[in-house]
Amino acid sequence: MELGEKLEILADSAKYDVACTSSGVDRPGRRGSLGSCAAAGICHAFTPDGRCVSLLKVLYSNACSYDCRYCVNRRSNDRPRATFTPRELAGLTIGFYRRNYIEGLFLSSAVLGTPDRTMELMIEALRILREEYHFNGYIHAKTIPGADPLLVERIGLLADRLSVNIELPSENSLLRLAPDKKKSAILRPMGQIAVKSAESRRQLAVYKRAPAFAPAGQSTQMIIGATPESDRHILDLTEALYKKYALKRVFFSAYLPVVEDERLPALSTRPPLLREHRLYQADWLLRYYHFSARELLSEAEPNFDPYLDPKCTWALRHPEFFPVEVNTAAREELLRVPGIGPKSALRIVQARRMQRLGMAELKRIGVVLKRAQYFITCGGRLPARGTRAEIAGALLDPKAFAVGVQQLSLDDFVARPLPCAAPAVQELADHGVAARQAAQMVRQEALTCLTRRM
């Protein structure tokens, strides 16, 4: 098989892996080396067709010995298979880098025979890149669950970031859909990476030339919507992973039906993109707003509201917390106000040392006053008094009612709900209701329900 054919197959097979992000490391170029890593992230480049890319995202092999029911590369699925050699993959990466297509590599793989064999081949490809080609750019490598700890240690010395995909949010779902994978085999390398990374940072603080182990940390990915776990279950797991394994990111991937199986949603099922979006918003609240998972969801309400972002939902549940005085409140209190984010909260704290803040100053600082004005006071005065319907209208998330026009031909312009629109909008459109009318109907109903709750 030609190298171009392999690349086409293995790049297509890698598109379902979303756990890829900016580097988080700062490593300047070195004399005699190729590439560099900037702390702000990977430098972007453009392919000849105009697409902006940063990493060559590819599988080493898609010839998997596992039979995970949700995976397009599962053993029992009939699809083209391909496998690189270590030298082919290293040469391909360097070739793309020299043509300015990429600045780094995102490497994962199906389980080729055994986890150990797969990791050995991936390690050899990265060794060639680092030691023979002197590639100094960013590398994100997936660790294969069940591999020997010595192999995990070796790949951590070659890659900038490691990740071990949890895939499914519970052990029961793993047993049902991925019987070849075990919870312990996934969590063991996570723990090892966390310990080795912390140890490496301590060594680097003392010895500048000490070897760096996965300096950009580790991440993981969970599939959302393939199994029945609630948002509360997923968010509790996410919080626990951050605390126990010091993960940099937890990625959520809305399940896209690609294989037919009675244990999975039907092929006609839409990916739950709005639910994925809500989980990312909640993840942001955990990491940057000092919320806890149990504050955002409860046993009585275990799933996020599709029409409100999680922060607005929390604010409506806790009217006793508001209004917040912007001239005296602590930064942690400001972060709880809808429309105030980490940057604007910091600017408020800095600006009020020199002057008292009013609406004009808050607008210049970057506060989203459309939402915030109903939850704050400026010098003891409420900036706005709105009816319940006005406040509810300001809080509803426009993304849930998004409709777009897609050009299908020169004379065919049809308005359709965007993929991330609320399921109710999609269902009405499927039953023949015009997309804009469907979005308006659902928004009006959501507005009425929210007004009654307030």
Side-chain angles (χ1 to χ4, degrees), residues 7 53 73 77 119 384:
L7 177 61
V53 297
N73 298 312
N77 197 27
M119 286 280 285

Side-chain angles (χ1 to χ4, degrees), residues 119 123 126 130 139 141 143 149-162 192-193 196-197 200 211-217:
M119 286 280 285
I123 288 168
L126 300 189
R130 293 297 198 200
I139 295 177
T143 302
L150 291 176
L151 296 174
V152 176
E153 185 170 347
R154 284 174 59 192
I155 202 168
L157 295 172
L158 294 167
D160 295 289
R161 173 166 286 178
L162 295 178
Q192 180 186 356
I193 294 167
K196 291 294 295 182
S197 293
S200 174
F213 181 92

Side-chain angles (χ1 to χ4, degrees), residues 328-345:
T328 57
R331 184 168 177 266
E332 291 72 21
E333 293 176 299
L334 293 170
L335 285 172
R336 303 257 162 165
V337 177
I340 297 181
K343 288 184 179 179
S344 53

Side-chain angles (χ1 to χ4, degrees), residues 168-191:
L168 298 174
S170 72
E171 191 168 13
N172 287 338
S173 292
L174 273 177
L175 291 171
R176 185 166 172 260
L177 298 178
D180 299 301
K181 294 182 178 179
K182 303 292 182 234
K183 178 183 174 182
S184 58
I186 296 170
L187 297 181
R188 189 182 303 115
M190 273 191 179

Side-chain angles (χ1 to χ4, degrees), residues 33-53:
S33 298
L34 289 169
S36 63
C37 270
I42 303 303
C43 299
H44 290 88
F46 293 86
T47 61
D49 63 359
R51 288 179 298 110
C52 184
V53 297

